[in-house]
Amino acid sequence: AVDRNTIKRYVRELYRLNHRQRFLEAASGYSIGLVYVAKEKMPYKDLEKKLNLVFNRYIEEINRTE
């Protein structure tokens, strides 16, 4: 449970620091859910890179459909 809570904390912090404002502007009316399926805890920097990629693709897709 400790690793699971750490990962949830990492994801919330990365969202808050990097993408919260962009999501509020671009994704009004949209929701996003993330499921972490790796068996081991990913280092913060690796998780940051992956989430940045996911968040940027999501926002690009929203902008493309509007």
Side-chain angles (χ1 to χ4, degrees):
V2 172
D3 287 345
R4 184 178 63 240
N5 290 332
T6 300
I7 291 167
K8 287 192 301 189
R9 238 185 353 264
Y10 285 171
V11 170
R12 282 192 301 263
E13 184 68 4
L14 289 167
Y15 172 78
R16 184 186 70 80
L17 292 175
N18 298 313
H19 298 285
R20 184 174 188 276
Q21 189 60 37
R22 289 180 62 201
F23 266 91
L24 291 175
E25 293 168 0
S28 178
Y30 289 88
S31 297
I32 188 170
L34 301 171
V35 178
Y36 189 89
V37 294
K39 293 183 180 187
E40 295 184 12
K41 186 170 76 169
M42 188 180 295
Y44 182 84
K45 287 295 181 185
D46 293 342
L47 187 60
E48 181 177 27
K49 288 177 190 175
K50 300 273 186 191
L51 284 176
N52 281 334
L53 181 65
V54 168
F55 289 149
N56 288 332
R57 284 183 182 172
Y58 183 70
I59 290 172
E60 287 173 11
E61 186 63 30
I62 289 170
N63 290 334
R64 191 175 337 175
T65 60
E66 291 182 347

